[in-house]
């Protein structure tokens, strides 16, 4: 089942450099939240802090609380691996595993967690590929390598792979920025479907996309170059795009800066 | 078009010009130089191969070359074979490979996946670079000093293997390191995001992706140590008979057979040298072919 995410006064550092300052926001279950803002404003950093992926960078740390249904994912005894099992992620560039077939790519998460039952894996593969609107295109070539698909198909394969482990939350880091408009549309339709089962957070540079797919929008910005990024405004997408409370949001959305 | 008048001439010169004579000449000179360099590199190679095959082919086709030793034969007597030396070369280098490959791969994994830019990793890279250039006779003398002089073991084929390990590890480390580094970080992150622990990501995602190149590197390292001679000269003595025990007694190997028979002025002696040479080249070629095949099978596919 989808769960809610709450951020309470989150600061993110890379070594001594503070990248993000004091972000507080709530993401309700079964909703799509879009993070928008100019490059370098920390929106991807915040996204990666939501499943502890930023820890891959040495020296990165988070202060404040990130709560998944009230449970702090940064509590001292929490294994980051278990956090990532619960909060999945789709990346900017499609990254299927090159040594694996389409089917094995989809079930990679389960297989690497030790599931061996072929019947279970086949079922999960079909269900996930259907969930990612890819089943009809690949059902006759499940044993072909993942790299044989087109870019848009590869990205849907990666989404299928992410939902195969049945996370509660799905994080998407500019999932359409490497795709053409038709593939982008396919992914956006998919996001609308996935919302029924998952809580979705999507980072995007494309404001029309944010307006199309999201329920609420969070606008991030820097006070000045070299300063940490911060959350300027969060609200219902409709309201943020029509009557934003902050002038910076209005300027950004109307294209006057950024 | 035969009645062109001045008015039809373009008012300005053409935009495109023909290739200038100077460039044609420079191009010609460069082409000749490049071709000459190619010939200078290839001619000796073909020559060596041709000589070895011409002199040695009849020897390795003799009955018994691949199945018999030289036990009991006098220097001038024809006959016998190189089985004892082939066994020695294979055993010594395969034992060395069996020890050096896991060490080399683990060091490379440490350097790429765990060490990052730590001081220990930098120091290790530096040491590996130095070890790559270490002359084989120095490695042999080091093993002699430690294994035989200090620890008191006898000279044996295993001591040779230990010296070969010293020569092979840095080559395996460097080539594996290169291959692991070109695995995109995207794949590691994709695995982490699925809730896969780091060690499993390395074993199941990173290594399979890099495996093809790693195999090529290991086979090149194996080819390098198979032709080594210095460790055999120092750490084990030649035996014309078959010795299956790598831990005791003298043992032949193909390079050693060649060195020893060089003192044999008879035709039988020179036949054995050419035969051993072609045998060594063949063995290395077979290993390279197997490696190339494995590397093709394990390479990531896109179709």
């Amino acid at each position: 089942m989808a769960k809610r995410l709450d951020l309470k006064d989150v600061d993110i550092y890379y070594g001594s450099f503070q990248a993000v300052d004091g972000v507080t926001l709530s993401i309700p279950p079964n909703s799509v939240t879009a993070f928008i803002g100019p490059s370098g404003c920390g929106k991807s950093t915040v996204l990666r802090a939501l499943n502890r992926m930023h820890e891959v960078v040495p020296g990165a740390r988070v202060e404040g609380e990130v709560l998944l249904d009230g449970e702090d994912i940064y509590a001292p005894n929490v294994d980051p691996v278990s956090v990532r099992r619960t909060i999945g992620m789709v990346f900017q560039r499609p990254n299927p595993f090159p040594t694996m077939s389409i089917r094995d790519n989809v079930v990679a998460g389960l297989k690497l967690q030790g599931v061996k039952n072929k019947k279970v894996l086949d079922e999960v593969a079909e269900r996930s590929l259907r969930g990612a609107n890819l089943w009809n295109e690949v059902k006759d070539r499940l044993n072909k390598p993942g790299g044989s698909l087109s870019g848009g198909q590869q990205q849907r394969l990666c989404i299928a792979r992410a939902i195969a482990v049945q996370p509660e939350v799905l994080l998407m880091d500019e999932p359409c920025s490497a795709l053409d408009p038709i593939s982008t549309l396919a992914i956006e339709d998919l996001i609308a479907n996935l919302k029924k089962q998952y809580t979705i957070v999507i980072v995007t540079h494309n404001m029309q996309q944010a307006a199309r797919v999201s329920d609420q929008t969070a606008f991030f910005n820097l006070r000045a170059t070299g300063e940490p990024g911060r959350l300027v405004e969060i609200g219902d997408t409709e309201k943020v795009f029509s009557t934003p409370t902050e002038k910076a949001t209005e300027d950004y959305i109307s294209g006057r800066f950024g | 078009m035969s009645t062109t008048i001045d008015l039809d001439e373009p008012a300005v010169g053409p935009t495109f010009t023909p290739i200038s004579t100077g460039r044609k000449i420079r191009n010609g000179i460069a082409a000749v130089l490049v071709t000459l360099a190619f010939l200078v590199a290839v001619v000796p190679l073909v020559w060596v191969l041709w000589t070895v095959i011409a002199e040695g082919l009849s020897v390795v086709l003799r009955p018994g070359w691949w199945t018999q030793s030289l036990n009991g034969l006098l220097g001038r007597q024809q006959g016998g074979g190189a089985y004892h030396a082939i066994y020695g070369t294979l055993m010594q280098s395969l034992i060395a490979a069996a020890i050096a490959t896991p060490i080399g791969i683990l060091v490379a994994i440490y350097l790429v996946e765990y060490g990052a830019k730590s001081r220990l990793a930098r120091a290790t890279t530096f040491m590996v670079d130095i070890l790559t250039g270490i002359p084989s006779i120095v490695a042999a003398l080091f093993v002699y000093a430690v294994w035989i002089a200090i620890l008191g073991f006898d000279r044996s084929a295993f001591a040779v293997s230990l010296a070969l390990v010293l020569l092979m590890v840095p080559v395996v480390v460097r080539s594996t390191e290169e291959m692991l580094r070109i695995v995109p970080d995207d794949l590691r992150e994709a695995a982490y995001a699925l809730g896969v622990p780091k060690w499993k990501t390395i074993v199941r995602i990173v290594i399979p992706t890099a495996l093809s190149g790693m195999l090529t590197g290991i086979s090149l390292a194996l080819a390098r140590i198979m032709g080594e001679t210095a460790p055999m000269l120092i750490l084990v003595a030649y035996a014309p008979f078959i010795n299956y025990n790598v831990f005791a007694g003298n043992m032949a190997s193909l390079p050693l057979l060649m060195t020893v028979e060089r003192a044999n002025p008879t035709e039988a002696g020179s036949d054995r040298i050419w035969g051993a040479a072609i045998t060594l080249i063949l063995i290395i070629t077979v290993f390279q072919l197997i490696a190339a095949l494995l590397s093709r099978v394990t390479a990531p596919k896109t179709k």
Side-chain angles (χ1 to χ4, degrees):
Chain A
M1 275 315 293
K3 290 189 174 171
R4 65 179 292 118
L5 269 172
D6 293 287
L7 281 70
K8 287 186 182 161
D9 203 13
V10 169
D11 301 331
I12 305 173
Y13 297 85
Y14 292 113
S16 57
F17 172 72
Q18 187 176 8
V20 173
D21 180 31
V23 171
T24 301
L25 56 84
S26 290
I27 297 164
N30 297 104
S31 69
V32 178
T33 301
F35 287 1
I36 60 170
S39 295
C41 68
K43 56 192 188 304
S44 284
T45 306
V46 172
L47 188 80
R48 290 167 70 87
L50 298 184
N51 70 343
R52 300 183 67 165
M53 276 301 288
H54 69 291
E55 287 175 9
V56 174
V57 181
R61 70 200 156 82
V62 164
E63 286 174 10
E65 285 182 327
V66 179
L67 306 172
L68 182 73
D69 267 9
E71 222 181 312
D72 189 358
I73 68 170
Y74 285 97
N77 57 348
V78 169
D79 178 0
V81 169
S82 71
V83 170
R84 295 182 197 133
R85 273 181 201 172
T86 319
I87 306 175
M89 193 164 204
V90 175
F91 298 85
Q92 192 168 353
R93 276 188 303 171
N95 50 6
F97 299 128
T99 51
M100 295 184 190
S101 69
I102 292 171
R103 170 194 177 274
D104 287 349
N105 257 290
V106 177
V107 296
L110 290 180
K111 264 183 134 175
L112 293 178
Q113 284 169 26
V115 178
K116 292 211 176 71
N117 188 329
K118 193 177 169 304
K119 221 178 123 218
V120 172
L121 292 176
D122 282 338
E123 277 169 20
V124 171
E126 178 171 348
R127 192 177 63 224
S128 309
L129 284 167
R130 281 188 195 281
N133 284 340
L134 191 60
W135 176 252
N136 287 329
E137 290 157 70
V138 301
K139 64 181 177 210
D140 301 322
R141 45 178 177 147
L142 291 173
N143 292 319
K144 291 271 160 58
S148 66
L149 299 173
S150 75
Q153 290 172 326
Q154 285 189 17
Q155 192 62 303
R156 277 180 283 153
L157 178 66
C158 292
I159 294 175
R161 181 176 67 186
I163 60 179
V165 292
Q166 298 196 296
E168 318 277 352
V169 180
L170 201 54
L171 309 175
M172 297 181 155
D173 191 359
E174 298 182 46
C176 302
S177 63
L179 305 181
D180 66 278
I182 295 174
S183 309
T184 301
L185 195 63
I187 305 266
E188 287 180 7
D189 287 346
L190 177 56
I191 291 172
N193 274 326
L194 292 173
K195 190 169 86 170
K196 293 169 197 153
Q197 278 182 284
Y198 307 97
T199 306
I200 294 172
V201 185
I202 178 171
V203 166
T204 177
H205 270 137
N206 179 334
M207 273 174 290
Q208 286 84 2
Q209 181 169 64
R212 281 192 299 263
V213 302
S214 69
D215 302 308
Q216 63 169 355
T217 297
F219 173 61
F220 290 82
N221 200 3
L222 303 165
R223 273 201 191 83
T225 343
E227 299 261 316
R230 66 196 177 92
L231 176 66
V232 176
E233 175 166 6
I234 181 166
D236 287 350
T237 299
E238 222 164 282
K239 183 176 173 297
V240 170
F241 276 86
S242 56
T243 51
T245 34
E246 299 284 330
K247 184 159 186 317
T249 317
E250 193 181 341
D251 288 351
Y252 183 73
I253 287 168
S254 57
R256 272 201 281 278
F257 96 102
Chain B
M1 296 299 285
S2 55
T3 56
T4 317
I5 57 169
D6 287 352
L7 285 175
D8 291 334
E9 294 285 319
V12 290
T15 312
F16 305 113
T17 54
I19 298 172
S20 69
T21 322
R23 205 169 96 205
K24 276 183 190 155
I25 293 171
R26 286 194 296 275
N27 183 45
I29 292 172
V32 169
L33 284 177
V34 171
T35 315
L36 273 178
F38 169 74
L39 288 177
V40 167
V42 159
V43 164
L45 269 178
V46 175
W47 198 346
V48 166
L49 259 185
W50 173 251
T51 316
V52 173
I53 291 172
E55 302 273 357
L57 191 61
S58 61
V59 182
V60 297
L61 291 178
R62 282 179 198 162
W65 175 261
W66 300 91
T67 53
Q68 293 173 6
S69 72
L70 292 172
N71 198 9
L73 289 175
L74 294 175
R76 59 185 150 76
Q77 261 179 309
Q78 286 287 9
Y83 179 78
H84 60 309
I86 295 169
Y87 176 84
T89 288
L90 287 178
M91 275 324 272
Q92 288 162 15
S93 43
L94 290 181
I95 288 174
I99 300 172
T101 307
I103 296 177
I105 290 177
L106 289 174
V107 170
I109 289 176
Y110 169 75
L111 289 178
V112 177
E113 307 288 339
Y114 291 94
K117 292 183 182 94
S118 69
R119 289 177 71 168
L120 179 60
R122 272 197 309 235
T124 311
T125 308
F126 182 62
M127 296 308 290
V128 166
D129 279 345
I130 293 178
L131 272 171
T132 312
I134 199 176
S136 55
I137 188 137
V138 175
L141 287 171
F142 172 75
V143 171
Y144 190 92
V146 174
W147 186 253
I148 292 163
I150 296 177
L151 296 176
F153 291 96
D154 285 333
R155 298 206 302 168
S156 69
F158 187 70
V160 174
S161 295
L162 289 180
L164 296 179
V165 166
L166 288 181
L167 298 171
M168 191 171 175
V169 165
V171 186
V172 175
V173 171
R174 275 339 283 263
S175 62
T176 309
E177 200 186 339
E178 297 299 321
M179 290 305 129
L180 293 178
R181 273 194 208 288
I182 60 173
V183 173
D185 276 339
D186 290 7
L187 298 181
R188 296 184 179 90
E189 294 203 341
Y192 297 153
L194 291 171
V196 180
K198 183 167 185 172
W199 68 270
K200 222 169 200 174
T201 303
I202 295 169
V203 174
R204 300 284 295 273
I205 305 290
V206 178
I207 290 181
T209 308
L211 188 61
S212 168
M214 284 164 61
L215 285 171
T216 309
I218 291 164
S219 78
L220 285 175
L222 188 62
R224 182 194 162 185
I225 62 163
M226 275 189 167
E228 282 299 345
T229 315
M232 289 79 167
L233 285 172
I234 291 172
L235 295 168
V236 73
Y238 177 73
F241 49 82
I242 300 166
N243 171 14
Y244 287 116
N245 187 352
V246 292
F247 293 103
N250 298 334
M251 188 188 283
S253 54
L254 289 164
L256 205 49
L257 172 67
M258 285 186 255
T259 319
V260 169
E261 291 293 339
R262 218 160 46 79
N264 180 349
T266 66
E267 202 193 329
S270 65
D271 277 359
R272 284 172 201 156
I273 294 177
W274 289 114
I278 198 172
T279 308
L280 189 56
I281 293 175
L282 270 177
I283 291 175
I284 291 174
T285 311
V286 166
F287 273 96
Q288 299 283 24
L289 286 177
I290 294 173
L293 194 74
L294 283 177
S295 139
R296 186 167 298 180
V297 171
T298 53
K301 292 160 197 70
T302 51
K303 284 215 173 91

